[in-house]
Amino acid sequence: MSFKRKNKSNLILVLPVLILTIIFSLTYSYGAEILKGVEEVKAFGGYKVNSEVQVSEGKISHIEIYGSDFAGSHAETNKAYMERAVKGMKDKFIGKSATDIRGIKGIDNVARATISSDAIKKSVMNALKLEEQEEPEYLPDKAPAPGDYTIQIRDVIERIEVKNAGGGIQHSLLGTKTAKALLHVDKNRKMSISYLLKSGTVDEPLYILSYNGFYNEDLDNLKEPSLEGVEVQNIFWEKSSLKKYAELKGISDKVVGRVTRPLKELKTHYYDNVKLYVPAMKDVNKPGFDNGKFTAVSKLTPDWKTLKKVKELKLANGSYTVKGSLLQPDGVTPSMADGALQKKITLDVKNGKYYAVLNFDKMKKGSVEGYLGSVKYYASGYIIDEGAIHGELRNTDILSYHTDKKGKRIKDEYGTDYPKTVRFQVIPEAKLDGTAPLQLTIPVMESFGEGAGTKDVLLKLDWSSVKKKPEKEKPIKKFKVKSNKKKVVTLSWQKVSNASGYTVYMAKSKKGKFKAVKNIGNAGKNKCILKKLKSKKKLYFMVKAFKKQKGKKVYIAKSKVISVKVK
């Protein structure tokens, strides 16, 4: 009994000390003051994001984040997204400075929980009483000089339904918070902007089904959208791509790709009308919503400080060569088909349009040998997502096929009609960055499994290597060589149009080196007499016609070689 009384007495003495120790430990670890913040989310019924933040030595040492007041038919869905965002973000706040606005805002959002992620960061900033000082938006005094420019933009959903200013949803239509756009200014300083809308990305799980036009007015006074001067390039999903985009089955076979729209005047914000589909809302049916499909107003914001003149390749009509290589969609790793591509590519230019001519040899990779079965190219407005290229595929023109020694088309166990030379029009994006997306089929690779022979690749053109192809020399007709007098040879030929003059060449043997022996600067003169030659010597002659370009001789025609024995 005494033993029990002794322990009871000790416990009574020790317990207050233990409680004080725990309180002191908690106070030391997390700080004595709990800072509370709230951010209200209005989207899809609405809810509140609550944060309790403790600061020690100027840094966040402990944090609790939870949601409350979930309302509407999407309450359970919002709870799930909120829990997902808390789990992925909570630990990232620990150690951040309690005054570091940029550091807190820079914490990565949790994929497919963008709204909750943004609200969590705002709630924490509210707890810490941090107010982001917005920089005044820069606006130039006048439109840029005529030319092409790159510019950073933001494009987010501003509100759902024109008549309903509610919504509170600010999903990006660019797939990321910001993206690069192209600004064109014509000679009258009229502006148009071209940018790529992205559907089905990890961060923004929505699909842009249609672009319905732009507004000339500000947000508070919007009228009917206009399609005047608008160009939309849609992306049609291939059946092979629908595995990834299964959410679009039964909804649409296309999404919006590249949009080009006019900018009527200089503004900080512009507004567009788009039709969207959000799979997470497929069960929503109420005014303005049709099983996840709805119309929204988006706000396009160009960052005018980032405007940069584009040095676009501009070539005159003609034929050129350019170095190229085939890369995987990551833009870095060489493609397996790169070894089959002849690296000197022909580039034909006609009225501002560029046409690439590719030549392919037999492909060899280790023990695997075979030919390309087909070459297609992606139209403007393509996107690259998770190692694959998506967009509208078009056929290239086949100029020649692989043949055997007898001139018959190659045929093997995998097929026949293998293209050797193909031609296609280079898309506008490639004129800026040299990247043209292609899709190749390699029949021999199909033996490794279905789909293994279909490869998306990027043709990377090195614009710095562009060289003008020399003009093909035309034949000079009616070329004659005679020796009617001792030690004299007379040459004559038909005049060549556009020629500035002619050069006469002579060699002492059939395989000897031809040397220029006479230059004739008169385009109208088509006869030449050479004297003091060695008698009884057989000599070989040839004539070339030239024209002068920028002070240099450019040969445009030549004769066949004729021999004569000097008299």
Side-chain angles (χ1 to χ4, degrees):
M1 294 293 293
S2 61
F3 178 78
K4 289 182 179 179
R5 283 196 298 272
K6 185 177 179 182
N7 276 275
K8 186 175 182 180
S9 175
N10 289 342
L11 184 62
I12 292 170
L13 293 171
V14 170
L15 191 58
V17 177
L18 182 62
I19 292 170
L20 288 171
T21 302
I22 293 171
I23 292 172
F24 176 79
S25 176
L26 287 171
T27 303
Y28 179 79
S29 300
Y30 300 128
E33 186 179 8
I34 298 175
L35 305 174
K36 296 183 178 181
V38 180
E39 177 67 20
E40 186 175 357
V41 177
K42 296 180 180 179
F44 309 126
Y47 57 98
K48 291 181 180 179
V49 176
N50 308 276
S51 60
E52 297 180 359
V53 185
Q54 290 181 310
V55 178
S56 177
E57 296 182 354
K59 294 184 179 180
I60 297 174
S61 56
H62 183 73
I63 189 168
E64 293 294 336
I65 306 167
Y66 59 93
S68 66
D69 301 319
F70 291 93
S73 58
H74 291 276
E76 292 303 316
T77 302
N78 287 337
K79 283 181 183 178
Y81 283 129
M82 178 66 192
E83 291 172 2
R84 183 177 182 179
V86 171
K87 185 178 179 181
M89 298 180 70
K90 182 179 175 181
D91 292 342
K92 296 179 181 179
F93 288 97
I94 304 300
K96 293 285 184 185
S97 168
T99 59
D100 185 6
I101 297 175
R102 182 175 292 182
I104 292 171
K105 282 200 67 181
I107 292 174
D108 291 335
N109 286 352
V110 174
R112 295 184 180 266
T114 306
I115 294 175
S116 295
S117 299
D118 285 336
I120 287 172
K121 288 186 279 191
K122 288 179 181 178
S123 178
V124 173
M125 289 176 64
N126 291 339
L128 297 170
K129 294 181 173 54
L130 297 177
E131 283 190 32
E132 186 179 7
Q133 298 294 324
E134 292 188 7
E135 293 184 16
E137 292 173 317
Y138 169 74
L139 191 66
D141 296 329
K142 59 182 179 179
D148 293 307
Y149 302 80
T150 59
I151 188 170
Q152 289 294 122
I153 63 169
R154 286 181 286 121
D155 193 15
V156 298
I157 301 172
E158 183 64 21
R159 70 188 193 194
I160 299 170
E161 295 185 293
V162 175
K163 294 181 181 179
N164 175 16
I169 304 172
Q170 289 211 329
H171 282 294
S172 171
L173 300 184
L174 305 172
T176 53
K177 287 185 178 180
T178 63
K180 184 184 290 185
L182 295 175
L183 183 78
H184 175 72
V185 185
D186 68 14
K187 61 182 180 181
N188 298 317
R189 288 186 182 262
K190 291 183 178 180
M191 300 181 294
S192 63
I193 193 166
S194 178
Y195 51 97
L196 189 66
L197 299 182
K198 292 188 178 181
S199 294
T201 64
V202 174
D203 291 332
E204 302 294 348
L206 53 78
Y207 297 87
I208 302 108
L209 303 184
S210 66
Y211 178 87
N212 302 322
F214 64 91
Y215 297 99
N216 289 312
E217 304 81 20
D218 291 326
L219 187 62
D220 296 329
N221 189 33
L222 296 181
K223 297 178 182 179
E224 288 298 313
S226 171
L227 285 169
E228 181 186 357
V230 171
E231 182 182 346
V232 178
Q233 293 169 312
N234 293 314
I235 296 175
F236 294 85
W237 304 114
E238 294 287 306
K239 289 182 179 179
S240 59
S241 300
L242 287 178
K243 293 177 182 178
K244 174 176 174 55
Y245 293 91
E247 294 167 323
L248 271 181
K249 285 184 178 178
I251 303 297
S252 177
D253 63 346
K254 63 178 173 56
V255 292
V256 177
R258 183 168 294 278
V259 172
T260 303
R261 56 97 92 192
L263 302 181
K264 296 292 186 181
E265 57 184 296
L266 280 171
K267 292 183 179 180
T268 52
H269 306 294
Y270 302 86
Y271 296 95
D272 297 305
N273 186 291
V274 292
K275 185 177 181 181
L276 305 171
Y277 171 62
V278 178
M281 299 172 62
K282 62 184 177 182
D283 297 326
V284 178
N285 267 312
K286 59 182 182 180
F289 291 87
D290 176 18
N291 295 106
K293 292 178 284 186
F294 58 93
T295 300
V297 175
S298 67
K299 181 169 73 173
L300 175 67
T301 305
D303 185 353
W304 293 105
K305 296 193 300 293
T306 65
L307 199 66
K308 187 177 180 181
K309 189 76 178 285
V310 173
K311 293 181 180 179
E312 183 181 345
L313 183 71
K314 292 184 178 180
L315 300 174
N317 289 348
S319 189
Y320 302 80
T321 60
V322 59
K323 292 179 181 178
S325 59
L326 292 176
L327 305 176
Q328 293 182 22
D330 62 10
V332 178
T333 310
S335 166
M336 188 173 75
D338 183 57
L341 176 70
Q342 293 183 15
K343 299 302 185 289
K344 187 175 281 189
I345 294 166
T346 295
L347 187 71
D348 293 324
V349 180
K350 187 176 182 180
N351 299 327
K353 295 181 179 180
Y354 294 17
Y355 300 89
V357 180
L358 310 182
N359 288 283
F360 291 94
D361 298 322
K362 188 175 184 179
M363 189 192 71
K364 297 180 181 180
K365 186 72 174 179
S367 60
V368 178
E369 293 188 8
Y371 298 91
L372 294 177
S374 68
V375 182
K376 296 182 179 181
Y377 71 99
Y378 284 93
S380 180
Y382 70 95
I383 64 171
I384 300 176
D385 188 24
E386 295 188 5
I389 303 173
H390 302 281
E392 180 187 352
L393 277 170
R394 296 178 181 176
N395 293 322
T396 57
D397 297 323
I398 300 176
L399 304 184
S400 68
Y401 294 88
H402 282 281
T403 58
D404 58 22
K405 293 180 180 179
K406 294 181 180 180
K408 293 183 177 181
R409 293 182 185 178
I410 295 289
K411 185 176 182 180
D412 57 24
E413 58 184 302
Y414 305 107
T416 186
D417 296 340
Y418 298 123
K420 181 178 182 180
T421 306
V422 300
R423 181 177 182 266
F424 67 95
Q425 186 176 338
V426 177
I427 59 176
E429 295 98 309
K431 291 171 68 175
L432 299 175
D433 60 14
T435 303
L438 308 174
Q439 186 181 88
L440 313 177
T441 60
I442 310 169
V444 67
M445 295 299 295
E446 284 295 317
S447 60
F448 291 91
E450 185 179 355
T454 301
K455 303 291 182 183
D456 285 335
V457 298
L458 297 175
L459 172 65
K460 195 67 178 178
L461 301 169
D462 179 8
W463 292 133
S464 66
S465 68
V466 172
K467 291 182 180 179
K468 186 79 165 62
K469 267 189 172 184
E471 293 186 33
K472 289 185 178 180
E473 295 176 339
K474 300 175 184 178
I476 294 179
K477 299 178 181 180
K478 297 182 180 180
F479 179 48
K480 297 178 181 179
V481 181
K482 295 179 181 180
S483 180
N484 295 326
K485 294 183 180 180
K486 190 175 181 180
K487 296 184 179 183
V488 176
V489 170
T490 303
L491 302 90
S492 63
W493 56 88
Q494 188 180 58
K495 295 176 183 178
V496 177
S497 60
N498 299 324
S500 302
Y502 304 91
T503 302
V504 178
Y505 294 85
M506 185 181 74
K508 294 180 179 180
S509 64
K510 190 174 184 179
K511 294 183 179 180
K513 186 177 180 180
F514 280 87
K515 293 183 179 180
V517 293
K518 186 78 172 181
N519 280 305
I520 301 171
N522 185 351
K525 188 175 181 181
N526 60 331
K527 187 175 181 180
C528 174
I529 299 175
L530 300 176
K531 300 179 180 180
K532 297 182 180 180
L533 301 175
K534 287 187 178 181
S535 296
K536 300 181 181 180
K537 182 72 174 178
K538 191 175 184 180
L539 299 174
Y540 296 80
F541 297 91
M542 176 179 64
V543 174
K544 286 186 177 183
F546 64 84
K547 65 178 180 180
K548 290 186 178 180
Q549 292 181 342
K550 296 180 180 181
K552 294 183 179 181
K553 287 182 180 180
V554 177
Y555 288 97
I556 58 174
K558 72 175 180 179
S559 70
K560 60 183 180 180
V561 175
I562 295 180
S563 64
V564 67
K565 189 174 183 180
V566 181
K567 196 171 182 179

